[in-house]
Amino acid sequence: MAIYDSPKFILGVRALQGFLTIITLGLTAYVVDWWSGYWHASAPSQVNFLLFCSIWAIIALIYLIVVPWKFSHTQAHHKFAILGFEAITMFFWFAGFIALAVFLGDRVCFGNVCSAAKAAAAFGAFEWIAWTITTVLAALHAFGRGSAGSSRHADPKLNMAEGT
């Protein structure tokens, strides 16, 4: 059995992605709130984009957990739709943590809000790694399965409700 056929492994990585997303959401929301209150202006776009990445990841996680679990025999469980959600989310996290790290790199910054922004960038990098892992697994599932890979729908064996 290949690793991308293991519902327990995929669900474990999804749990890690969700945990890291909640942490990053909290950190970036704190930075945005502080910036808006202290400067009476909108937070920098780099911080706002990482906040968007967290919200997008929650939406993607809902789709990527619920659809294989409850709708494994419908059009919603198309293997390229799953790969698309994975890849878009991975690219968002990559752009988000790089943009925030570059923004923070040339600034004199100190205090709790600065530490929170740096931590958000670091957790964003870990998010990118986690999403890269699942994107590679989704690509292997979509393209690398020989005759089973030619099916339009994702493998029904990946139903998250089975074996967990």
Side-chain angles (χ1 to χ4, degrees):
M1 176 195 274
I3 197 163
Y4 49 82
D5 283 335
S6 171
K8 290 181 182 181
F9 176 78
I10 298 294
L11 206 50
V13 176
R14 296 276 183 243
L16 175 66
Q17 290 168 336
F19 179 70
L20 293 172
T21 296
I22 297 302
I23 290 172
T24 309
L25 178 66
L27 290 168
T28 53
Y30 169 69
V31 173
V32 167
D33 180 60
W34 180 89
W35 195 285
S36 300
Y38 187 79
W39 295 109
H40 301 293
S42 178
S45 61
Q46 296 87 345
V47 180
N48 289 336
F49 184 70
L50 202 60
L51 182 63
F52 161 77
C53 290
S54 298
I55 295 167
W56 172 262
I58 291 170
I59 294 167
L61 281 170
I62 290 169
Y63 173 81
L64 292 168
I65 292 171
V66 171
V67 167
W69 180 31
K70 293 289 186 182
F71 304 103
S72 61
H73 298 292
T74 65
Q75 289 284 14
H77 192 234
H78 195 281
K79 63 185 177 181
F80 291 115
I82 291 172
L83 178 60
F85 263 93
E86 295 276 4
I88 288 169
T89 308
M90 178 196 65
F91 288 128
F92 281 165
W93 279 112
F94 181 73
F97 94 83
I98 291 291
L100 185 56
V102 169
F103 174 75
L104 294 171
D106 63 352
R107 298 186 69 80
V108 176
C109 130
F110 51 88
N112 288 341
V113 73
C114 183
S115 299
K118 289 178 181 178
F123 279 108
F126 291 124
E127 278 277 12
W128 172 68
I129 291 169
W131 284 96
T132 300
I133 290 168
T134 56
T135 301
V136 168
L137 294 176
L140 287 173
H141 179 72
F143 299 116
R145 304 265 318 228
S147 62
S150 63
S151 172
R152 281 187 38 186
H153 297 289
D155 190 355
K157 291 187 290 186
L158 277 179
N159 188 343
M160 293 297 174
E162 295 177 14
T164 56

